[in-house]
Amino acid sequence: MNFKLRTIHFSPKSGDQKPECYKISVSIVFDNSRHTGQVHIGLSTVISYVNVCNGRVIKGVGLAVDTLIMGVTDVIVLLLCLFSFVLCLRALIKAHLLKNRAIDYFENQFKIKISVSDQLEFLNLWYVMIVINDVLIIVGTVSKISIEFRDFDNSIFTLTGILLGMGALLVYVGVLRYFGFFNQYNVLILTMKKSIPNMLRFMSCAIVLYVGFLIAGWVIIGPYSMKFRTLGESSEALFSLMNGDDMFATFYTINDSNTTIKVFGTVYIYCFVSMFIYVVLSLFIAIIMDAYEVVKDRYSYGLSMEHSVLKDFVATAPPLADMNSPMAQAQFAPQALLNLGRWVMLACRACSASFSTTNTSTELLACLLVKSPSESLWW
């Protein structure tokens, strides 16, 4: 069943508001293609903007204050996002260049190859998220401005809502970055960072089991239950069951005219709920709690952090207060840089010759520290 409706939107509160006419195409589908006795009813609407409206409005024409405020706000948001995008992109590019210089330095001076995890230390994922957020808001704001100028299209309207909604979500996620400056409020970020690798490995196994239940439910129960008619609807039903929602309705919608399907569907749901609620979700929570305990112990008992070549190298830097001492100023003076470079080359050769290839990079750095002409020397 297909039909069309026309509607007019008019707001008398705005001085420059003109009537907006829309055409709504409605389609109602009664799906009985499977002949299971259950007719699936679907309703879909497509909204389009009509440029010409019949009739007239006798009202003065002027520029409303709220329209002016919204326009200025859109321009300010657009400029701020452009400025933020340029700065964050510049920071990412400089970090990439610094990473390349660090890789070359370690390979040439220490004959050490920086691991992938150390290379990722140069990539600030917060900046990556901000760049994506700025792009979403910029494109969404431009689309919003075009819609306000009566360039209405249903696809543009939907795209604008998605872009601005995702942009707003990433903005509030980015606020969590500032909690990282406080140890007591940084537990969530550190726990997620610690548990994500184990969570991904665990999810890869759980997804395989989930897909098995999904296909079995769709193939066997699909012709007898509206909740398992398609793979998408089957996944939605199983996800609801996994969260303890809509259990009775799922049992009830299975056609009880076929005793075999009724018994199998009941056993199937019991097995799925028992497996995923009592086992999978419990293990998933246990992984997160284990990461939380590790983070908590590090803050509570001052346990040592994870070591790497890059972190050990940075840890050899003297405190900022020591850099103002006469000895440090003499070591890092321009005329002393040549001697410092010669010492680094000689120390690297001596340590490389005294250590075998099986020694760790941390031991090599320790050797360089021992051969340092001064305790406060930092390369």
Side-chain angles (χ1 to χ4, degrees), residues 35-71:
H35 302 285
T36 59
Q38 297 177 348
V39 180
H40 188 268
I41 303 175
L43 172 65
S44 61
T45 59
V46 178
I47 304 175
S48 58
Y49 183 76
V50 180
N51 293 324
V52 180
C53 289
N54 296 327
R56 60 177 182 171
V57 177
I58 302 176
K59 193 174 183 65
V61 179
L63 185 61
V65 178
D66 56 348
T67 304
L68 180 61
I69 294 175
M70 291 181 61

Side-chain angles (χ1 to χ4, degrees), residues 138-372:
I138 289 172
V139 178
T141 303
V142 173
S143 301
K144 175 180 176 294
I145 294 174
S146 65
I147 291 175
E148 291 180 352
F149 281 97
R150 305 298 188 272
D151 187 13
F152 183 86
D153 188 7
N154 189 49
S155 59
I156 297 179
F157 187 82
T158 304
L159 179 63
T160 303
I162 294 175
L163 293 176
L164 293 179
M166 292 301 299
L169 173 63
L170 294 180
V171 166
Y172 282 92
V173 172
V175 175
L176 293 175
R177 173 175 178 262
Y178 299 98
F179 287 92
F181 298 103
F182 306 95
N183 294 335
Q184 296 180 351
Y185 298 95
N186 198 27
V187 178
L188 175 61
I189 302 299
L190 294 178
T191 302
M192 292 178 61
K193 183 179 179 180
K194 179 68 177 178
S195 61
I196 280 178
N198 294 329
M199 288 169 56
L200 293 178
R201 286 189 287 267
F202 178 77
M203 288 293 295
S204 61
C205 299
I207 288 175
V208 174
L209 184 62
Y210 180 82
V211 171
F213 275 96
L214 173 63
I215 296 177
W218 172 56
V219 172
I220 300 174
I221 309 177
Y224 303 94
S225 176
M226 296 181 62
K227 289 182 173 292
F228 293 87
R229 290 174 63 91
T230 62
L231 276 175
E233 294 177 353
S234 300
S235 180
E236 294 172 359
L238 292 181
F239 190 78
S240 299
L241 290 174
M242 189 167 55
N243 290 276
D245 185 25
D246 212 18
M247 286 190 179
F248 177 77
T250 305
F251 281 108
Y252 187 76
T253 53
I254 299 177
N255 192 353
D256 56 357
S257 60
N258 192 325
T259 306
T260 303
I261 296 299
K262 183 65 176 179
V263 173
F264 176 83
T266 303
V267 175
Y268 168 83
I269 295 175
Y270 281 147
C271 293
F272 177 81
V273 170
S274 301
M275 177 65 68
F276 276 84
I277 291 182
Y278 303 138
V279 179
V280 175
L281 288 182
S282 298
L283 291 176
F284 191 79
I285 296 174
I287 292 174
I288 299 176
M289 291 302 299
D290 181 67
Y292 172 75
E293 292 296 333
V294 172
V295 173
K296 181 180 177 181
D297 291 340
R298 284 180 178 175
Y299 276 102
S300 300
Y301 304 105
L303 299 180
S304 59
M305 304 297 291
E306 297 179 356
H307 293 279
S308 65
V309 176
L310 184 63
K311 293 180 180 179
D312 292 339
F313 178 78
V314 175
T316 59
L320 294 178
D322 296 341
M323 294 296 293
N324 296 325
S325 62
M327 182 180 297
Q329 292 179 359
Q331 290 175 352
F332 291 95
Q335 60 272 15
L337 292 179
L338 182 59
N339 296 329
L340 179 63
R342 291 176 179 175
W343 173 85
V344 170
M345 294 298 296
L346 294 175
C348 289
R349 292 176 182 175
C351 291
S352 300
S354 60
F355 278 79
S356 62
T357 57
T358 58
N359 290 103
T360 62
S361 56
T362 305
E363 294 174 346
L364 180 59
L365 289 174
C367 173
L368 293 174
L369 285 175
V370 172
K371 295 180 179 295
S372 173

